[in-house]
Amino acid sequence: RTVPVEILVKNTATETRSVYRTGTNEFLIVQPIAGAARFFLAGAGELTGARRTERLLGSQFSYCDLGLSYLRWPDPKVVGEDRMRGRDCYICEVKAAGEPYTRVKLWIDKEYPALLRTEAFDENDAPVKRLVITSFKRIGELWIPRGIEAATVLPAQALPAEEKSRLEVYQGDYDTQLPAMWFAEEKFGVPTAR
């Protein structure tokens, strides 16, 4: 099943805000340069704890997957090298307590510092999620991911998983001046009774 999703991004010197829209559903990710990402679902307010791992529109992407918050976890370590999609990569590892994933392995292109793959593990060190960047697209002077696949690992199974979803970016403009109100946290709050 194909679901068109509009993605809007607003960068400032201190953070990036991304809005995902489809039909009447809207979701906001606030990613500060320093600190943890925050997630907001229109009509539900801020998503915390296990709510961050709920699936977006029934796909294998969770809200926290789209935020890639583990890219900002402290103390990343290079644990090896590998080839991914014909590219030489560093394999890095990050760990964090109190997050949906306790350990994440990252494949980072050596020539262009681009994320090509992640594998996430739970508290029992079992694999639970894999994200793969399958293609890139040039928008102006920027290269952005065009295709991203998410695979959820079923309990007692190993990668690769059978349950997959794909996110494809068809068009975009990185130089657009979007209204700040579209990215306001208050817009994603819980409606109050009148």
Coordinates of all heavy atoms in Angstrom, one line a residue, residues 3-8 19-27 57 181-183 187-188:
V3 N 1.3 5.3 0.6 CA 0.7 6.4 1.3 C 1.6 7.6 1.0 O 2.8 7.6 1.4 CB 0.7 6.2 2.8 CG1 0.1 7.4 3.5 CG2 -0.1 4.9 3.1
P4 N 1.1 8.6 0.3 CA 1.9 9.8 0.1 C 2.1 10.6 1.4 O 1.1 10.8 2.1 CB 1.2 10.6 -1.0 CG -0.2 10.1 -1.0 CD -0.2 8.7 -0.4
V5 N 3.3 11.0 1.7 CA 3.6 11.8 2.9 C 4.4 13.0 2.4 O 5.3 12.9 1.7 CB 4.4 11.0 3.9 CG1 4.8 11.8 5.1 CG2 3.7 9.7 4.3
E6 N 3.9 14.2 2.9 CA 4.6 15.4 2.7 C 5.6 15.7 3.8 O 5.2 15.6 5.0 CB 3.6 16.6 2.6 CG 4.3 17.9 2.3 CD 3.2 19.0 2.2 OE1 2.1 18.9 2.8 OE2 3.6 20.1 1.5
I7 N 6.9 15.9 3.5 CA 7.8 16.2 4.6 C 8.3 17.6 4.5 O 8.8 18.0 3.4 CB 9.0 15.2 4.5 CG1 8.5 13.7 4.5 CG2 10.0 15.4 5.6 CD1 9.6 12.7 4.1
L8 N 8.2 18.4 5.5 CA 8.6 19.8 5.6 C 9.8 19.9 6.6 O 9.6 19.3 7.7 CB 7.5 20.7 6.0 CG 6.2 20.5 5.1 CD1 5.0 21.2 5.8 CD2 6.4 21.0 3.7
V19 N 8.3 18.2 9.8 CA 6.9 17.8 9.9 C 6.6 16.8 8.8 O 7.0 16.9 7.7 CB 6.0 19.1 9.7 CG1 4.5 18.7 9.6 CG2 6.1 20.1 10.8
Y20 N 5.9 15.7 9.2 CA 5.4 14.7 8.3 C 3.9 14.8 8.2 O 3.2 14.7 9.2 CB 5.8 13.3 8.8 CG 7.3 13.1 8.8 CD1 8.1 13.6 9.7 CD2 7.9 12.3 7.8 CE1 9.5 13.4 9.7 CE2 9.2 12.1 7.7 CZ 10.0 12.6 8.7 OH 11.4 12.4 8.7
R21 N 3.3 15.0 7.0 CA 1.9 15.2 6.8 C 1.4 14.2 5.8 O 1.9 13.9 4.8 CB 1.6 16.5 6.2 CG 1.8 17.7 7.1 CD 1.4 18.9 6.2 NE 1.6 20.2 7.0 CZ 1.6 21.4 6.4 NH1 1.4 21.5 5.1 NH2 1.7 22.4 7.1
T22 N 0.2 13.6 6.2 CA -0.5 12.8 5.2 C -2.0 12.9 5.6 O -2.4 12.6 6.8 CB 0.0 11.3 5.2 OG1 -0.8 10.6 4.2 CG2 -0.1 10.6 6.5
G23 N -2.8 13.3 4.7 CA -4.2 13.4 5.0 C -4.4 14.3 6.2 O -3.9 15.4 6.2
T24 N -5.1 13.8 7.2 CA -5.3 14.6 8.4 C -4.3 14.4 9.5 O -4.3 14.9 10.6 CB -6.7 14.3 9.0 OG1 -6.8 12.9 9.3 CG2 -7.8 14.7 8.0
N25 N -3.3 13.5 9.3 CA -2.3 13.1 10.2 C -1.1 14.1 10.1 O -0.6 14.3 9.0 CB -1.8 11.7 10.1 CG -2.9 10.7 10.3 OD1 -3.6 10.8 11.3 ND2 -3.1 9.8 9.4
E26 N -0.6 14.6 11.2 CA 0.6 15.4 11.2 C 1.5 15.0 12.4 O 1.0 14.7 13.5 CB 0.3 16.9 11.3 CG -0.1 17.5 10.1 CD -0.1 19.0 10.2 OE1 -1.1 19.5 10.8 OE2 0.8 19.7 9.7
F27 N 2.8 14.9 12.2 CA 3.8 14.5 13.1 C 5.0 15.5 13.1 O 5.4 15.8 12.0 CB 4.2 13.1 12.8 CG 5.4 12.6 13.6 CD1 5.4 12.5 14.9 CD2 6.5 12.2 12.9 CE1 6.5 12.0 15.6 CE2 7.6 11.7 13.5 CZ 7.6 11.6 14.9
L57 N 1.7 5.4 10.6 CA 0.7 5.0 9.5 C 0.8 3.5 9.2 O 0.6 3.1 8.1 CB 1.0 5.8 8.2 CG 0.9 7.3 8.4 CD1 1.5 8.0 7.1 CD2 -0.5 7.8 8.7
M181 N 4.9 28.9 12.1 CA 3.8 28.4 12.8 C 3.5 26.9 12.4 O 2.9 26.2 13.1 CB 2.5 29.3 12.6 CG 2.1 29.3 11.1 SD 0.7 30.4 11.0 CE 0.3 30.3 9.3
W182 N 3.9 26.5 11.2 CA 3.7 25.1 10.7 C 4.5 24.2 11.6 O 4.2 23.0 11.7 CB 4.2 25.0 9.3 CG 3.3 25.6 8.3 CD1 2.2 26.3 8.5 CD2 3.5 25.5 6.9 NE1 1.6 26.7 7.3 CE2 2.4 26.2 6.3 CE3 4.4 24.9 6.1 CZ2 2.3 26.4 4.9 CZ3 4.3 25.0 4.7 CH2 3.2 25.8 4.1
F183 N 5.6 24.7 12.3 CA 6.5 23.8 13.1 C 6.3 24.1 14.6 O 7.1 23.6 15.3 CB 7.9 24.1 12.6 CG 8.2 23.8 11.2 CD1 7.9 24.8 10.2 CD2 8.6 22.6 10.8 CE1 8.1 24.5 8.9 CE2 8.8 22.3 9.4 CZ 8.6 23.3 8.5
K187 N 0.9 23.6 18.0 CA 0.0 23.1 17.0 C -0.3 21.6 17.1 O -1.3 21.1 16.6 CB 0.6 23.4 15.6 CG -0.2 23.0 14.5 CD 0.5 23.4 13.2 CE -0.3 22.8 12.0 NZ 0.4 22.8 10.8
F188 N 0.6 20.9 17.8 CA 0.5 19.5 17.9 C 0.0 19.0 19.3 O 0.1 17.9 19.6 CB 1.9 18.8 17.6 CG 2.3 19.0 16.2 CD1 2.9 20.2 15.8 CD2 2.1 18.1 15.2 CE1 3.3 20.4 14.5 CE2 2.4 18.3 13.9 CZ 3.1 19.5 13.6

